[in-house]
Amino acid sequence: MKLNESGLRLTWYALASLLAVFIYFYGLDSQHIPKNGDEYPYEHITRLTADSGKLLPLQSQLDNMRNTKPPLLFWQGIASTDWGKNWTLWDLRYPSVIYTLLTAAMLFLLGWKLSKRAETGFIAALTFLAFFTTYRFGRPFLTNPPEVFWIFLPFFVLLYWRQAYTSRWLIPMLLGVSIGIGFLYKSFALALPVTLGLTGWYLHQRQYRVAEFLKHDALKVAIAMSVAVAMFAMWFVLDPNPQAVWKEFVVGENVGKFDPHGPGYLEKLLWGGSSIWSYVLAFLTNPGLLTFPVVALFFVAYRRRSQLSNEEKLLWIWITVMFLSFSLPSQRSGRYLLAAMPAVALLCALNWQQISRKAFIASLVLAGAVIAGIAYLAVRLQAEMPDVRLYPLTFWLLMSGAGILTLLAIVVPGLTRPGANVVALLVLLCLAALLRPFDGALGNYSAEARHYASGKDVWVPCNFRAMDEGHRFMLPGSEIHGYSEDQNLPVSELATRYPLFAVQLALNYSTQNGACTACKIIGQRLDIRGRQSSAELKEMFLEGKVFQHLFVREILMESPAGGKAMYVQTFAQMCR
């Protein structure tokens, strides 16, 4: 079985692209999609700013987290939710997916143009969408999807339309607008890699003749960056309190990232979780299941270094300046390199046939192991709850289809490369399907419970800043407060502090009132705990106690003895 004919291959990739679009929208309203905890404070700031009726200043009840990011993300959330009237995760997140798909569309056009083959364009787009970091950061309400799009857009223009290099004013100004929008989503700190990237590209076009670059192109880079910085500066002009913007964002959020926070700069550069070595590893593992082909790409590029095309060299320049620029702060993370991942995906597509089949086999074997792990979790979870049917037949058909395609792609050489991206995408869909019961009726409070809690103060467990924002989607109309989950307070203690509270307990915990005989159970739901402690993670991996620490039952209780003033005042803002 081989995908030899061009028409058959294009049909395969076209269907795979439609599948990718479906996967990126599937479960978009889920509380449990792969994401970053920053989504919670961003939701908080957006909600309060919308409630204020003004776009500026940004509003927050979080300590030192008001001007944590420029305003465009929050304005985007205000617009997509109609000033908070449609306050759903779907409405907050769908613009992120649109940005991510637009970035994939740019890669499709570049792959097609540079190779003269539509197949390469499909591979570039699918590779980008199959990266786990694209899925994790390209769907939630985060700055990354618009940042990646607007920062990569100028390089797309220069790569797709070679005549853009000759424009003296118009194109540089338009590039500056795109970069400025990126700054207003993320940070002016992007000026360093973007300036170096544009300089490197113009220099490369001049074959590194510095005098010609200074004479003909330096002004173009200066125009683009001046426009971008001027757009970012409008935040200070329009905000009623520019001093707070300077203190909280420029000094706290950006300059603060150079503070090693304890050890010296050099020590943190060489050792620890933010060292240059962990930074390299995080960058190489950003693609998730496609890590092996990406690592192989670096070897292929080194082996072909004297044969690289002009476009490939430009892409490697962009990746290099991104990597070097974000290695300078003391806080280093592979997440900072997301704007370089489109270039990585495009380079993979351009070298798809040169990458060893063994690298794809390794990725497919890893995907098979993940599929088996997901199936195991589903079986164990169903066994823990025999009275409820968690997974329908379609779930097991999906798991079987993903497993069969993985096996075929491993054993049939003609299917290995065409199947690699599709299998990686199917694994993402399998993961989302595994988590789906936690977003349906089983994962949400009943209509009666929501109605009962509406208009009341409810205290919920929280182990991350502003994590209580998530409960506002599950208990609309309630006034949500967070209490620290890290205190490990028993039900009896919570019952003395809060009149209406949620507590997370093991799956096999009896739904009776337990230690609080006077408490009334209002409702319950299934949930997945995040941010386990190091001890809990050790028990999960070494002792197999996955279900004790991962899956929980959240119970909403009312306590007639709760609500003592001293406790309410002391603990109501634990997540703030």
Side-chain angles (χ1 to χ4, degrees), residues 119-348:
E119 178 182 352
T120 305
F122 279 120
I123 293 173
L126 290 170
T127 300
F128 175 70
L129 294 175
F131 286 168
F132 181 71
T133 45
T134 305
Y135 186 73
R136 179 185 176 187
F137 297 109
R139 302 172 73 222
F141 182 60
L142 297 171
T143 59
N144 303 113
E147 168 206 354
V148 171
F149 174 80
W150 290 109
I151 295 302
F152 187 68
L153 180 59
F155 299 94
F156 163 79
V157 171
L158 293 175
L159 206 58
Y160 191 85
W161 188 36
R162 297 290 297 275
Q163 294 88 338
Y165 283 101
T166 62
S167 174
R168 296 184 62 86
W169 298 95
L170 181 58
I171 295 300
M173 290 181 66
L174 293 177
L175 298 185
V177 171
S178 175
I179 298 165
I181 295 174
F183 286 3
L184 284 170
Y185 266 109
K186 184 72 171 184
S187 173
F188 67 91
L190 290 166
L192 177 59
V194 173
T195 301
L196 292 176
L198 290 177
T199 300
W201 280 37
Y202 277 103
L203 264 173
H204 183 79
Q205 291 300 110
R206 296 291 178 183
Q207 298 181 339
Y208 298 95
R209 293 189 289 267
V210 177
E212 289 193 24
F213 165 78
L214 293 174
K215 180 179 179 180
H216 299 287
D217 302 317
L219 180 61
K220 300 174 186 177
V221 176
I223 291 172
M225 299 314 300
S226 297
V227 171
V229 172
M231 289 181 62
F232 180 81
M234 291 303 296
W235 184 15
F236 291 86
V237 175
L238 298 176
D239 197 290
N241 191 358
Q243 294 85 0
V245 175
W246 176 266
K247 179 182 177 181
E248 297 168 15
F249 181 75
V250 177
V251 177
E253 183 73 14
N254 289 273
V255 178
K257 284 187 167 56
F258 286 87
D259 184 352
H261 298 288
Y265 179 86
L266 184 60
E267 180 181 347
K268 197 164 185 179
L269 176 69
L270 298 176
W271 306 102
S274 288
S275 69
I276 190 70
W277 318 115
S278 63
Y279 177 56
V280 171
L281 181 62
F283 174 48
L284 292 178
T285 57
N286 269 353
L289 293 176
L290 294 179
T291 291
F292 295 107
V294 168
V295 172
L297 170 69
F298 282 79
F299 289 99
V300 170
Y302 180 78
R303 189 175 65 245
R304 296 183 55 245
R305 60 190 181 278
S306 61
Q307 304 171 341
L308 294 177
S309 66
N310 181 65
E311 292 79 10
E312 288 178 287
K313 292 176 181 177
L314 292 174
L315 291 169
W316 282 114
I317 289 172
W318 174 235
I319 294 171
T320 302
V321 299
M322 282 291 294
F323 181 86
L324 294 177
S325 297
F326 286 105
S327 67
L328 296 177
S330 294
Q331 297 181 34
R332 303 174 186 89
S333 169
R335 179 187 177 187
Y336 298 155
L337 296 171
L338 291 178
M341 299 313 291
V344 174
L346 182 55
L347 284 167
C348 280

Side-chain angles (χ1 to χ4, degrees), residues 66-109:
R66 182 166 66 95
N67 294 303
T68 183
K69 285 292 182 289
L72 271 193
L73 176 69
F74 311 113
W75 293 353
Q76 172 189 301
I78 290 172
S80 65
T81 62
D82 191 17
W83 288 87
K85 296 176 184 176
N86 304 317
W87 192 248
T88 67
L89 287 172
W90 175 276
D91 287 292
L92 280 171
R93 290 170 174 169
Y94 78 81
S96 296
V97 175
I98 292 174
Y99 269 124
T100 299
L101 294 178
L102 287 174
T103 303
M106 287 195 292
L107 293 176
F108 171 77
L109 293 174

